[in-house]
Amino acid sequence: MNLQNIKRIAVLTSGGDAPGMNATIRAVVRACTFYKIDCFGVFRGFQGLIEGDLKQMGPRDVKYIISKGGTILKSARSKEFMTLEGRKKAYETLQKNQIDALIVIGGDGSFTGALMLSVEFNFPVIGIPGTIDNDIFGTSHTIGYDTALNTIIDVVDKIRDTATSHKRIFFVEVMGRDAGFVALNSGIGIGAEAILIPEENIGLPKLLENLKRSKASGKSSCIVIVAEGEKSGKNVYELSNYVEENLPEYDVRVSVIGHIQRGGAPSCFDRVLASRSGVAAVEALLKGEKNIMIGLQNDLIAYTPLEKAIKEHAQIDKELIRISDILAV
């Protein structure tokens, strides 16, 4: 296949939704229109691709969605796509609709599926990282990450008000099952007294030491940001119970922010990143690229091989950990 003669591109969203996915879809569709390419939106991710749930989209189909959270194409987990038979059905859908390339907006799990489809059937794919976790190698920012941070900041600023009013310790759980980017950056942003992330298992005694230090310095309330994958305790409630037993003078509360972090209108940063990424994905295909991820490095669009984006791991910034320790006095 001559990639530079691509006439039809399909786009889908997969995995957990993230603010800015709609803005990315919009950019892909409008870039296709600009370059006189037919664009097809696939509904419900890889499962929709298996079932042939797609339709041609034009500029008016994506009007007003740049400010909307979620994804108009919907997203779904697909166990069937994890099988060779399922991927064969997906490929047959692409062939039936004369699709020449596929753009996948999602995280590393979505990229893994896309790469398998590409390798098994020699079909060109491009990945665009859309996840609030910011844990994808090859990009400084994933689409949705900035918005999620701003949502957490807004919520925890309000929690701080009640914490100071009642001399309470609040354990606030944020998303981050395997990575602490959201917790670390939001924790610094709200001035947390302690930040617990999977990459730095500080343990319960160290947590208690930090809180005692805060109390000794004159603080009457504390905010502890906890990534959901942090391993000092079995869960955030066990952490809370441990501190309550050892610091009985404090009133301890737990707040799990949950899926509110994934919703809402995307920030300006995420809208611009989504717009740049969508256009870059279409232009990459026109230049003959395939099996790459579109990322942001030093504020410039960069390509990373999909295989590398999947296998490598984004590293937490140790300097931010050091800064958080200094500022917690």
Side-chain angles (χ1 to χ4, degrees), residues 161-192:
D161 292 341
T162 192
T164 55
S165 297
H166 294 277
K167 294 186 178 181
R168 286 174 174 162
I169 294 178
F170 265 90
F171 283 84
V172 182
E173 183 185 272
V174 300
M175 286 185 172
R177 186 172 61 250
D178 302 308
F181 296 96
V182 170
L184 181 57
N185 283 269
S186 64
I188 292 174
I190 59 94

Side-chain angles (χ1 to χ4, degrees), residues 77-192:
R77 311 286 183 184
S78 177
K79 291 184 178 180
E80 189 176 359
F81 191 78
M82 296 177 186
T83 67
L84 178 58
E85 183 181 354
R87 291 190 294 275
K88 186 172 185 242
K89 289 180 183 177
Y91 176 64
E92 288 170 352
T93 296
L94 294 167
Q95 282 192 311
K96 178 181 177 182
N97 290 276
Q98 298 179 313
I99 306 296
D100 300 314
L102 176 66
I103 294 174
V104 175
I105 307 165
D108 55 1
S110 304
F111 294 164
T112 299
L115 185 60
M116 292 176 72
L117 177 72
S118 175
V119 170
E120 290 165 352
F121 300 100
N122 190 29
F123 193 84
V125 298
I126 299 285
I128 300 178
T131 167
I132 71 165
D133 291 332
N134 204 49
D135 58 349
I136 305 295
F137 179 83
T139 186
S140 61
H141 290 77
T142 56
I143 294 163
Y145 174 58
D146 183 71
T147 304
L149 289 180
N150 286 317
T151 297
I152 294 167
I153 292 290
D154 183 56
V155 170
V156 181
D157 280 348
K158 293 177 173 63
I159 291 174
R160 174 77 78 178
D161 292 341
T162 192
T164 55
S165 297
H166 294 277
K167 294 186 178 181
R168 286 174 174 162
I169 294 178
F170 265 90
F171 283 84
V172 182
E173 183 185 272
V174 300
M175 286 185 172
R177 186 172 61 250
D178 302 308
F181 296 96
V182 170
L184 181 57
N185 283 269
S186 64
I188 292 174
I190 59 94

Side-chain angles (χ1 to χ4, degrees), residues 44-75:
R44 296 179 294 114
F46 290 117
Q47 189 61 37
L49 191 59
I50 289 171
E51 297 173 9
D53 190 3
L54 72 167
K55 76 167 188 176
Q56 189 168 351
M57 301 179 75
R60 303 289 74 80
D61 293 305
V62 292
K63 65 182 181 181
Y64 309 137
I65 69 170
I66 193 170
S67 61
K68 305 294 185 183
T71 163
I72 62 167
L73 292 179
K74 312 300 181 186
S75 185

Side-chain angles (χ1 to χ4, degrees), residues 174-243:
V174 300
M175 286 185 172
R177 186 172 61 250
D178 302 308
F181 296 96
V182 170
L184 181 57
N185 283 269
S186 64
I188 292 174
I190 59 94
E193 279 68 34
I195 304 170
L196 307 182
I197 58 177
E199 294 87 346
E200 295 283 318
N201 185 6
I202 68 171
L204 294 174
K206 176 66 173 176
L207 170 63
L208 202 63
E209 179 186 325
N210 290 347
L211 294 176
K212 286 180 178 178
R213 182 183 66 182
S214 292
K215 183 173 177 58
S217 71
K219 293 184 178 182
S220 60
S221 64
C222 291
I223 298 289
V224 180
I225 297 292
V226 183
E228 61 182 321
E230 202 279 329
K231 301 297 191 297
S232 292
K234 292 180 181 177
N235 53 53
V236 69
Y237 295 100
E238 183 176 273
L239 293 174
S240 168
N241 292 336
Y242 175 81
V243 171

Side-chain angles (χ1 to χ4, degrees), residues 24-36 39 57-65 279 282:
T24 314
I25 296 165
R26 172 183 180 270
V28 169
V29 171
R30 295 196 171 187
C32 284
T33 300
F34 180 84
Y35 286 109
K36 297 180 172 53
C39 186
M57 301 179 75
R60 303 289 74 80
D61 293 305
V62 292
K63 65 182 181 181
Y64 309 137
I65 69 170
V279 172
V282 173

